[in-house]
Amino acid sequence: MRIFCILLFLVGLAIGVIWPWAQRHFGGEEIGTWVLYQREGGYQSAKVQLKPEDAPLRIFVDAQPMQGVTSGQKPSVLNLAVSRDGVPVLAERLSYSPKSGNEQRDLPQSGAVIRQSAKDMETLQAGTYEFSVRAVEDGLSLTRADLVLRRGATPVDENITMMGVVVMVAGLYGFMRTRRRQKA
């Protein structure tokens, strides 16, 4: 019975945690990477030709803090603006702090990349999309910000995620109950 409960917990972990994480970060096909900011060159915009077939579009902005920045400093905040043929379609504020980010590859003191994702664009119209960022606060002294676009990134079904968490909790509960019975 304990092995069954452990297997139930592992299945719930795979469905409720691992699969949604992998879907969010690796789902879809990467279109490309564009530099939006470099300390030496300043701010740049990226113009990308997109089609309706590219939807849903997942947007990531990878920021690289200056090496040696301590974690006690204020976060860096960037405003991401997206327009299609000059018409604004998305504006989002992205915050980069030493201990936040939905994907943090390493400690910012080492100069490694911190990734933030913007809202997915569910529908697209054919045209030239312009992506740009501007700093609101630069507490981490960013040295670079890159735009990463992924096409066909299907959203995670929250019902399946919740079902996985419930199965995981049931497996853990069952395991704890079987351990308790053996000791008594």
Side-chain angles (χ1 to χ4, degrees), residues 37 39 63-66 76 78 96 138 140-145:
Y37 171 74
R39 187 169 286 286
Q64 184 175 16
M66 187 180 295
S76 290
L78 297 177
Y96 298 89
D138 196 11
L140 291 176
S141 300
L142 298 179
T143 59
R144 183 181 178 98

Side-chain angles (χ1 to χ4, degrees), residues 89-165:
V89 292
L90 177 69
E92 188 145 346
R93 182 171 279 204
L94 306 172
S95 179
Y96 298 89
S97 64
K99 295 184 180 171
S100 74
N102 46 10
E103 184 180 322
Q104 190 166 345
R105 297 186 186 152
D106 203 352
L107 295 174
Q109 294 89 336
S110 67
V113 175
I114 302 172
R115 174 171 279 185
Q116 284 286 357
S117 63
K119 181 180 174 188
D120 290 355
M121 295 177 69
E122 299 297 328
T123 58
L124 296 172
Q125 296 177 0
T128 302
Y129 286 77
E130 184 174 1
F131 297 83
S132 61
V133 294
R134 293 289 181 260
V136 177
E137 284 184 46
D138 196 11
L140 291 176
S141 300
L142 298 179
T143 59
R144 183 181 178 98
D146 294 332
L147 170 73
V148 180
L149 298 178
R150 298 184 78 82
R151 80 177 100 210
T154 56
V156 175
D157 186 355
E158 296 301 325
N159 293 328
I160 293 175
T161 303
M162 186 56 69
M163 182 181 70
V165 170

Side-chain angles (χ1 to χ4, degrees), residues 19-34:
W19 177 77
W21 177 84
Q23 186 69 14
R24 281 188 188 102
H25 297 334
F26 303 112
E29 175 187 348
E30 187 168 318
I31 296 174
T33 303
W34 294 266

Side-chain angles (χ1 to χ4, degrees), residues 63-74:
Q64 184 175 16
M66 187 180 295
Q67 289 187 355
V69 173
T70 61
S71 61
Q73 292 186 342
K74 294 191 303 186

